[in-house]
C-alpha cells in the first residue's frame, strides 16, 4: 500500500505497511480501486456532459465514493468493494447512454472490469498513487483529488438537505477525469487545482445555505461540557441531517443526545436548541475517542469521518451511517426518502448507564458570519480603537501528533489584544482555555465545523469592505491553519482561490507536496510552515 493523503502519513512521507490511522493494506487497496473506478465513471460522466447526457444518480455516487475514501471515514473493505462493483455497473449503464448520444469513451479506466476480490486487489496494485511516476505530476494529481474528496463531503451534506449545484458536479467529473490525462502539463494541473478552490468556495457556500436555510443561523451559545443524569446517545461527525433525525426520534424516549467533536456546531443552530433532551458536548477532538467513548457508556453514532478503529470495550455500541463504516459495527442506511431508522440505537441507549463525567463547565461558540456581522459595529470599533490589534484564523483539524501542542501554546502566547477566529476540530486545542474577552467579544470565536471556514472568509471580506481596502491581505488577519485530512485541503485551495496570501500550515506541510509543487505554492501564495511559538508570534505580529 502507499497512502500519503493526511498529515499523519508515516515519517511525513507515506504509509506503506499499515496506516497510522489504522487502515490496513486490504482496506487501502479497496480504497485505491474505488478511487480508480470513480475516475472511470467520471470520464464517462465528463464525456456525457459534452453530448448533453447528465445523470444525477452518477454525480451523487461519485460524490459518495470520494467521501468514503477520506481519512478515517470508512474501514469496511466489503462495503467499499460493494461500492466499486456498483460504480462499474453505473459506468457501463452510462456508457451506453453517452455512446448513443454520440460520445466516445475509451481507455483502461472506462473499460476494465473485475469480479473477484483477488482481481480487484491485483488491479489496485497498478492504479494507486504511485502509478503516476513523475513526482510533480503525482503531487498535483493527488492535490486535486484530495481537494475533490473534501469538496465531496461538503456537497454530500448539502445534498442531504436537498441543496445541490450541478456546476460543482460537472467540475468534479472534469477534474477527476483530468487526473488520468497524460497530456496535461504541470501548469495546467496547477490551474485545475486553483479551479478546485473556486468550486470549493461554491461548495462551502452551498452547504452554508443548506445548513442555515434549514436550521437557522448559528447564534452565540454556551455549551455545557458536563453530563446530565439520563442515558444518552453520542453523535459525532459533520452531518446535521443525521443530528436532526436523531433528535426527532429520541424525543420523549428518556434518552438524551450529546454531541462529540465536529458535531459540537449543531449546538449553535436555533432549530436544534428547541429540543430539551439535547444535552451538551461530550469529549474532545476525534483522536481522543478511544479514551472517551468507553466512558460515555451509551451508544455512539458516527455520521462521517473521523472514526478511529474502536476498542472492544465499546465496539458493540458504535454505529455508523453515511460514508462512514467499520467492519463489525452496525451501519444504518437511509431509505429511498433519506430517512434513517435509529430505533436500535435508542433501544440500546435505554439500557445503558448515564455518561461518566469527564469535564465540567461551558464553552462558547456560534460565531458564524451572520452572528459576527450582527456584532460588526462592535468589532470594527474595537479594531479602530486599537482594542483588537490582530485576528488569527486558526481553523482546521486536530490530530494526535504531540507537535500539535504548538497550537495550545500559540493561543496562550499571542497578545491579549488579539482574537482567534476558528472552525473545525482544531479548536479543541484552545477552546477550553480561559482566554478572556475584549470588551465583551470572546478571544476565541468559533464559527463551527471545518466547512464553516467559509464564514471566516465572509467575515474577512466584510471587514475589507468596511475598512475600504482593496485587498483582503491588507487586513490585520494572520492565517495559522492546522490541517489533518482532505477537507482541510479544499479549505486551503478555497482560501488561495480567494486571494489569501501567507497562510501558515502545520504542524507539517503535506507529504503529497513534492518540492517543486511546494515551491509553486511558496512563490505564488507565500505558503509556509510553522517554526516555534515564540518566533512565529513575533513574525505574525509584525504583520
Ligand atoms: Fe497514512 Fe493518513 Fe493514509 Fe491513513 S490516511 S494510511 S494515516 S496517510
Ligand atoms: Fe476534524 Fe476529522 Fe478535520 Fe472537520 S473531524 S476538521 S479532522
Amino acid at each position: 500500500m502507499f497512502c500519503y493523503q493526511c498529515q499523519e502519513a508515516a515519517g511525513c512521507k507515506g504509509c506503506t505497511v499499515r496506516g497510522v490511522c489504522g487502515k490496513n493494506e486490504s482496506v487501502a487497496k479497496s480504497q485505491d480501486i474505488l478511487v480508480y473506478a470513480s475516475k472511470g465513471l467520471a470520464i464517462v460522466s465528463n464525456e456525457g456532459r459534452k453530448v448533453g447526457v447528465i445523470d444525477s444518480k452518477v454525480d451523487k455516487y461519485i460524490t459518495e465514493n470520494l467521501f468514503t475514501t477520506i481519512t478515517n471515514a470508512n474501514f469496511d473493505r466489503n462495503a467499499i468493494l460493494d461500492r466499486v462493483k456498483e460504480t462499474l455497473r453505473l459506468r457501463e449503464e452510462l456508457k451506453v447512454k453517452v455512446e448513443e448520444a454520440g460520445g466516445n469513451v475509451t481507455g483502461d479506466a472506462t473499460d476494465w472490469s473485475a469480479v473477484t476480490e483477488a482481481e480487484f486487489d491485483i488491479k489496485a496494485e497498478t492504479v494507486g498513487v504511485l502509478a503516476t511516476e513523475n513526482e510533480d505530476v503525482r503531487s498535483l494529481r493527488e492535490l486535486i483529488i484530495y481537494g475533490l474528496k473534501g469538496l465531496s463531503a461538503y456537497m454530500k451534506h448539502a445534498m442531504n438537505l436537498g441543496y445541490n449545484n450541478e456546476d460543482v458536479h460537472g467540475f468534479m467529473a472534469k477534474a477527476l477525469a483530468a487526473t488520468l490525462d497524460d497530456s496535461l502539463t504541470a501548469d495546467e494541473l496547477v490551474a485545475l487545482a486553483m479551479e478546485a478552490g473556486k468550486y470549493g468556495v461554491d461548495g462551502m457556500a452551498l452547504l452554508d445555505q443548506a445548513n442555515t436555510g434549514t436550521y437557522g443561523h448559528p447564534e452565540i451559545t454556551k455549551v455545557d461540557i458536563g453530563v446530565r443524569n439520563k442515558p444518552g446517545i453520542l453523535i459525532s461527525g459533520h452531518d446535521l441531517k443525521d443530528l436532526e433525525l436523531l433528535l426527532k426520534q429520541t424525543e420523549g424516549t428518556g434518552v438524551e443526545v450529546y454531541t462529540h467533536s465536529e458535531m459540537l456546531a449543531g449546538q449553535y443552530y436555533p432549530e436544534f436548541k428547541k429540543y430539551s433532551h439535547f444535552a451538551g458536548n461530550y469529549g474532545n477532538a476525534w483522536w481522543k475517542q478511544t479514551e472517551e467513548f468507553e466512558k460515555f457508556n451509551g451508544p455512539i453514532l458516527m455520521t462521517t469521518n473521523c472514526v478511529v478503529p474502536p476498542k472492544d470495550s465499546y465496539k458493540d455500541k458504535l454505529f455508523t451511517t453515511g460514508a462512514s463504516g467499520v467492519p463489525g459495527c452496525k451501519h444504518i442506511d437511509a431509505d429511498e426518502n433519506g430517512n434513517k431508522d435509529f430505533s436500535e440505537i435508542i433501544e440500546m441507549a435505554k439500557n445503558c448507564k448515564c455518561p461518566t463525567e469527564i469535564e465540567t463547565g461551558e464553552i462558547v461558540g456560534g460565531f458564524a458570519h451572520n452572528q459576527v456581522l450582527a456584532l460588526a459595529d462592535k468589532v470594527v470599533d474595537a479594531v479602530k480603537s486599537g482594542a483588537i490589534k490582530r485576528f488569527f484564523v486558526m481553523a482546521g483539524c486536530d490530530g494526535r501528533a504531540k507537535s500539535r501542542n504548538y497550537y495550545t501554546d500559540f493561543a496562550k502566547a499571542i497578545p491579549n489584544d488579539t482574537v482567534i477566529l476558528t472552525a473545525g476540530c482544531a479548536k479543541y486545542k484552545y477552546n477550553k482555555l480561559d482566554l478572556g474577552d475584549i470588551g465583551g467579544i470572546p478571544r476565541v470565536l468559533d464559527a463551527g465545523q471545518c466547512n464553516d471556514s467559509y464564514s471566516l472568509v465572509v467575515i474577512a471580506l466584510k471587514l475589507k469592505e468596511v475598512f475600504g481596502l482593496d485587498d483582503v491581505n491588507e487586513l490585520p488577519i494572520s492565517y495559522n491553519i492546522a490541517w489533518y485530512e482532505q477537507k482541510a485541503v479544499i479549505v486551503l485551495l478555497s482560501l488561495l482561490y480567494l486571494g489569501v496570501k501567507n497562510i501558515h500550515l502545520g504542524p507539517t506541510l503535506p507529504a503529497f507536496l513534492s518540492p517543486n509543487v511546494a515551491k509553486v505554492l511558496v512563490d505564488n501564495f507565500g505558503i509556509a510552515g510553522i517554526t516555534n511559538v515564540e518566533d512565529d508570534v513575533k513574525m505574525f505580529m509584525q504583520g
Side-chain angles (χ1 to χ4, degrees):
M1 67 176 277
F2 181 83
C3 178
Y4 65 172
Q5 67 174 353
C6 85
Q7 188 273 326
E8 291 183 359
C12 283
K13 288 201 157 51
C15 299
T16 53
V17 181
R18 186 187 171 83
V20 175
C21 59
K23 178 163 94 179
N24 63 28
E25 176 148 28
S26 67
V27 174
K29 281 184 178 164
S30 66
Q31 292 189 353
D32 284 349
I33 202 71
L34 182 57
V35 170
Y36 188 64
S38 303
K39 289 178 186 174
L41 183 54
I43 291 173
V44 183
S45 165
N46 189 43
E47 193 58 32
R49 283 179 157 83
K50 294 179 193 162
V51 291
V53 177
I54 297 178
D55 186 332
S56 59
K57 186 169 75 232
V58 164
D59 295 338
K60 181 165 175 262
Y61 214 74
I62 292 174
T63 305
E64 289 168 352
N65 281 354
L66 292 182
F67 194 178
T68 302
T69 66
I70 279 187
T71 299
N72 289 339
N74 204 311
F75 296 89
D76 190 341
R77 174 177 156 97
N78 290 338
I80 297 168
L81 287 179
D82 283 347
R83 295 200 72 87
V84 177
K85 290 172 196 158
E86 178 62 8
T87 304
L88 295 180
R89 195 193 66 74
L90 286 170
R91 187 195 72 190
E92 290 309 302
E93 200 180 85
L94 186 62
K95 244 161 82 177
V96 173
K97 286 193 224 162
V98 172
E99 280 165 3
E100 274 172 8
N104 180 27
V105 278
T106 50
D108 183 69
T110 54
D111 290 340
W112 75 282
S113 67
V115 177
T116 65
E117 280 201 38
E119 287 170 341
F120 282 123
D121 280 348
I122 290 168
K123 188 73 185 167
E125 279 169 21
T126 64
V127 298
V129 172
L130 298 178
T132 303
E133 281 169 19
N134 180 298
E135 73 162 349
D136 298 327
V137 175
R138 183 194 307 149
S139 174
L140 288 165
R141 285 178 173 179
E142 295 306 315
L143 172 64
I144 293 164
I145 291 169
Y146 304 153
L148 294 178
K149 287 188 183 193
L151 179 54
S152 73
Y154 297 154
M155 286 302 289
K156 182 69 177 82
H157 295 311
M159 288 157 75
N160 285 348
L161 295 174
Y163 288 70
N164 212 342
N165 181 337
E166 154 53 30
D167 291 346
V168 176
H169 292 294
F171 174 75
M172 284 174 64
K174 179 183 95 166
L176 260 187
T179 64
L180 284 180
D181 184 346
D182 291 332
S183 73
L184 293 179
T185 62
D187 284 349
E188 286 169 321
L189 289 170
V190 170
L192 200 59
M194 293 308 118
E195 203 182 347
K198 178 210 176 299
Y199 287 98
V201 176
D202 292 351
M204 285 194 284
L206 182 75
L207 180 53
D208 182 74
Q209 216 188 339
N211 286 340
T212 59
T214 313
Y215 305 118
H217 282 284
E219 52 195 29
I220 304 179
T221 308
K222 285 186 179 157
V223 180
D224 185 11
I225 57 171
V227 298
R228 298 184 184 175
N229 58 359
K230 285 185 183 161
I233 296 171
L234 189 57
I235 178 167
S236 189
H238 304 69
D239 197 296
L240 296 184
K241 177 77 184 176
D242 289 331
L243 175 61
E244 179 193 347
L245 294 174
L246 185 65
L247 283 168
K248 280 190 176 146
Q249 291 177 31
T250 42
E251 206 167 13
T253 62
V255 170
E256 310 217 298
V257 174
Y258 290 78
T259 54
H260 171 258
S261 195
E262 281 280 69
M263 200 56 89
L264 162 63
Q267 304 271 357
Y268 310 151
Y269 287 85
E271 189 60 26
F272 299 132
K273 289 184 179 184
K274 66 182 191 197
Y275 294 98
S276 60
H277 66 295
F278 191 19
N281 190 67
Y282 191 84
N284 292 279
W286 64 272
W287 60 276
K288 283 195 171 170
Q289 67 187 247
T290 47
E291 271 169 54
E292 296 175 346
F293 282 1
E294 65 187 5
K295 298 196 178 103
F296 184 72
N297 301 326
I300 304 122
L301 175 62
M302 297 297 315
T303 66
T304 65
N305 62 316
C306 280
V307 192
V308 178
K311 285 187 191 167
D312 287 343
S313 57
Y314 62 87
K315 188 172 179 180
D316 60 331
K317 292 190 192 133
L318 191 79
F319 294 76
T320 60
T321 187
S324 66
V326 176
C329 292
K330 176 85 186 259
H331 184 83
I332 297 172
D333 275 320
D335 65 19
E336 60 280 5
N337 300 317
N339 288 323
K340 294 179 181 177
D341 179 2
F342 294 134
S343 54
E344 188 179 338
I345 312 181
I346 299 166
E347 283 314 304
M348 180 186 279
K350 286 179 184 168
N351 297 313
C352 290
K353 284 194 295 182
C354 302
T356 303
E357 188 168 86
I358 52 176
E359 290 172 303
T360 55
E362 281 176 343
I363 47 180
V364 184
F367 296 94
H369 57 90
N370 191 65
Q371 178 66 83
V372 175
L373 297 184
L375 299 170
D377 290 349
K378 219 172 165 181
V379 174
V380 169
D381 286 349
V383 175
K384 283 187 175 155
S385 72
I388 295 179
K389 290 260 166 22
R390 181 158 289 277
F391 296 92
F392 286 95
V393 171
M394 291 178 71
C397 311
D398 197 10
R400 46 199 142 204
K402 288 247 173 1
S403 53
R404 287 179 185 265
N405 290 337
Y406 163 95
Y407 295 102
T408 308
D409 297 340
F410 186 89
K412 286 182 189 164
I414 51 177
N416 287 336
D417 51 11
T418 60
V419 170
I420 294 172
L421 302 174
T422 192
C425 65
K427 64 175 140 293
Y428 284 98
K429 278 283 184 274
Y430 41 80
N431 68 346
K432 293 171 185 171
L433 302 174
D434 186 11
L435 295 178
D437 65 282
I438 299 175
I441 302 166
R443 289 196 52 233
V444 178
L445 299 181
D446 175 23
Q449 299 179 337
C450 40
N451 49 288
D452 294 311
S453 300
Y454 170 75
S455 263
L456 306 181
V457 169
V458 172
I459 294 165
L461 293 176
K462 183 72 190 171
L463 289 176
K464 179 187 109 172
E465 188 189 309
V466 173
F467 287 108
L469 302 172
D470 297 327
D471 183 347
V472 77
N473 296 298
E474 291 168 23
L475 287 165
I477 302 181
S478 301
Y479 294 79
N480 195 6
I481 289 180
W483 83 285
Y484 171 62
E485 35 75 48
Q486 298 78 52
K487 294 176 183 182
V489 176
I490 194 63
V491 171
L492 176 70
L493 293 176
S494 301
L495 291 175
L496 297 183
Y497 168 74
L498 289 167
V500 176
K501 296 256 171 20
N502 304 323
I503 297 171
H504 288 253
L505 203 58
T508 52
L509 288 180
F512 58 80
L513 293 181
S514 67
N516 286 331
V517 173
K519 190 170 180 311
V520 170
L521 296 180
V522 171
D523 291 350
N524 294 322
F525 301 101
I527 294 262
I530 57 172
T531 62
N532 62 74
V533 170
E534 203 185 321
D535 291 347
D536 286 356
V537 172
K538 235 186 262 164
M539 175 270 304
F540 281 122
M541 289 309 291
Q542 278 163 8

